[in-house]
Amino acid sequence: MAIAPGSSVQLDNGKSATVRVTFLGGLGEIGRNCACIEQDGRIMLLDCGLMFPEPEMLGIDLVLPDFTYLRDNADRIEGCIVTHGHEDHMGGLSYLLRELSFPIFGSRLTLALAKNRIEEAGLLGRTQLIPVADGERRRIGPFDCEFIPVTHSVPHGFATAFHTPQGIILHSGDFKIDLTPVDGRTTDLARIGAMGIEPGIRLLLSDSTNAEEPGHTASESSVGKVLRELFRVYAGRRIITACFASHIHRVQQIADAAIANGRVVATLGRSMAKNVALARDMGFLTIPDGSIVDIEQVASLDPARVCVISTGSQGEPMSALSLMAAGENKRLKLGDGDVVIISAHAIPGNEYSVNRVIDGLYRRGTEVVHSGMADVHVTGHAMAGELKTLLSVADPEFFIPVHGEFRHLTHHARLAMEMGVGEDNVLLAEDGDVVELTDKGLEFVGTVPSGYLYVDGIVGDVGHGVLRDRRVLADEGVIVVVVTVDATSGEVITGPEVITRGWVHAPEAEALLDEARQCVLDALERAVDNQVVEMESLKRQIRQTLGRFVNDRTKRRPMIVPVVMEA
Ligand SMILES: [Zn+2]
Ligand SMILES: [Zn+2]
């Protein structure tokens, strides 16, 4: 398989017969999926997602793709196709729309989920939400796009086929091959197979998340059976369930199991309440009015007659489930006799938080059922067997694995070769790579900026420097030195005062702080002797001298912040 040479070459935009794919995110990580399909000088964005921060990204709320390439080519953007309603595919839109304006295409449900965030950001005026239907083929500018139903852990996702001058490019979207989905809407393998035969698929881009997992995923409807059984086992006890708020089919199955066992349901958590209301309104979720109650009523109901559907299956710190585990949820207090069913897997990186929540729940005396004990969850991403099925049915000339960490992409590339895609026709691309499809074949032609864009609160990009500072503060603490010097002579007038947080515990280290003060004073006196009076030089002196002292005495490297004032 070919790996990108890593060179950055000048891109020659606008050649009509060539088609280009630029990867801005999602290749080498799970999250911030974003790609550009380019043809006739125009750009179609395919997803614009966010990534949740890793634990070492201190204080960061979320991570976005680098939008430099899109900003630089703003006038060439035709629109954005959103494959499905997950944050890692659409969560970046409410940021990108601040700078750019373009229409968004997706299924009705996908657009309804996307609309929430865009509306909250006050950016609805900068876009047009254009629904597309299952199987629809639509021309958008020069792009001839076809939307093919796929099954996944949010309903109404699409694979997207681009009928280009260089043949069909098929993007799988996030998918699994579920033959018995809850809504009966299966992955349209027949259509993909038909395209694979006539006119043939030139390039396949496919979801790699579970490429390392052998076999096939279980059907979403298998979870329903397990849930019904659990509701029987725990008859007479109050049941609280947690799952992803966007997993409408899971919510449906929980509600069905509850209602079949004589219970009413209540939602807990803002996004759960919102999505349940939205999905019921749109007809994607069926819960009779008589079977749904307000969460405020739950405490007064017979525990055997109620089921709560909550957010927080990933142990998110401020989520409804975390608060319940900590005994701090104002709406619902858990205790002896309650049963919590966590109908989700911890996403890699969230295991610690989920474990802490489970511990907290046991401490409250509740019983906990999670995916390690019963089959209360199935994945939404195809495993190796299904990936091979898609490769076989699509029979592509070229293949690029997408959506996954590098290990997932590598395994998926191997699966493609096993399924008969030529070794030279499998490309292992990463974020920032640009590939070009021409009469001659598919090749890497350059790279574009693709680093992480860190978002903290409403601040757009806090940058690497800020993160580096936060890591130092977290690991080593900070020492602030405040001193006033004479503006002309540089002599110390007041201070230096040495204040620390996180270096040494001040009351017990008075002597050390005194020494530090003396050390700064000596340095400033030496500076005066050498006629160094310039502000920045004085600050540098303090930083160096005190840094050496602190390291010698404590083997630590806290951040040193000199505040030098002139009088
Ligand atoms: Zn995804
Ligand atoms: Zn997804």
Side-chain angles (χ1 to χ4, degrees), residues 249-443:
H249 288 160
R250 189 64 53 80
V251 174
Q252 180 74 68
Q253 298 198 94
I254 294 169
D256 288 349
I259 293 165
N261 284 277
R263 294 175 188 252
V264 292
V265 298
T267 60
L268 183 55
R270 204 172 73 99
S271 56
M272 187 61 78
K274 215 169 184 175
N275 285 359
V276 164
L278 178 147
R280 287 180 79 211
D281 274 353
M282 296 183 79
F284 293 127
L285 182 64
T286 313
I287 305 176
D289 285 339
S291 294
I292 196 156
V293 296
D294 195 275
I295 188 70
E296 310 289 345
Q297 292 172 255
V298 167
S300 61
L301 292 172
D302 174 2
R305 292 277 163 266
V306 65
C307 166
V308 175
I309 308 176
S310 169
T311 56
S313 62
Q314 296 301 306
E316 306 91 322
M318 292 312 288
S319 67
L321 189 66
S322 284
L323 293 174
M324 280 190 274
E328 287 166 6
N329 196 309
K330 287 191 195 74
R331 297 212 155 84
L332 196 61
K333 299 275 178 241
L334 299 186
D336 281 349
D338 289 335
V339 179
V340 175
I341 300 173
I342 302 177
S343 186
H345 267 317
I347 291 174
N350 292 346
E351 294 92 344
Y352 176 78
S353 311
V354 173
N355 286 341
R356 206 174 36 191
V357 166
I358 292 174
D359 247 33
L361 291 168
Y362 276 116
R363 218 166 257 132
R364 313 238 80 73
T366 62
E367 188 57 53
V368 182
V369 181
H370 57 76
S371 59
M373 304 156 67
D375 296 329
V376 288
H377 179 72
V378 294
T379 174
H381 296 275
M383 292 181 179
E386 290 150 274
L387 296 175
K388 285 202 259 187
T389 302
L390 180 68
L391 280 156
S392 157
V393 168
D395 190 23
E397 183 183 347
F398 294 98
F399 177 69
I400 298 177
V402 298
H403 201 288
E405 292 165 7
F406 201 71
R407 53 193 274 189
H408 306 133
L409 305 180
T410 305
H411 275 267
H412 202 178
R414 288 179 190 160
L415 293 179
M417 288 185 279
E418 266 177 52
M419 294 309 294
V421 184
E423 197 177 330
D424 294 339
N425 290 11
V426 177
L427 268 64
L428 257 181
E430 285 192 89
D431 292 345
D433 284 337
V434 184
V435 298
E436 202 166 73
L437 194 56
T438 65
D439 296 339
K440 281 182 266 158
L442 179 71
E443 56 175 10

Side-chain angles (χ1 to χ4, degrees), residues 151 175-179 210 213-220 222 378-387:
T151 47
F175 82 107
K176 66 188 279 188
I177 300 175
D178 190 340
L179 301 176
N210 277 333
E213 309 295 326
H216 294 254
T217 61
S219 171
E220 176 61 30
S222 70
V378 294
T379 174
H381 296 275
M383 292 181 179
E386 290 150 274
L387 296 175

Side-chain angles (χ1 to χ4, degrees), residues 33 84 86 88-89 152 174 381 403:
N33 295 286
H84 64 286
H86 278 155
D88 62 321
H89 295 260
H152 184 43
D174 286 10
H381 296 275
H403 201 288

Side-chain angles (χ1 to χ4, degrees), residues 34-56:
C34 189
C36 304
I37 310 288
E38 300 183 39
Q39 149 186 0
D40 298 323
R42 304 295 292 168
I43 294 174
M44 178 61 78
L45 259 174
L46 189 56
D47 287 329
C48 181
L50 58 75
M51 184 168 88
F52 293 103
E54 290 154 20
E56 69 268 25

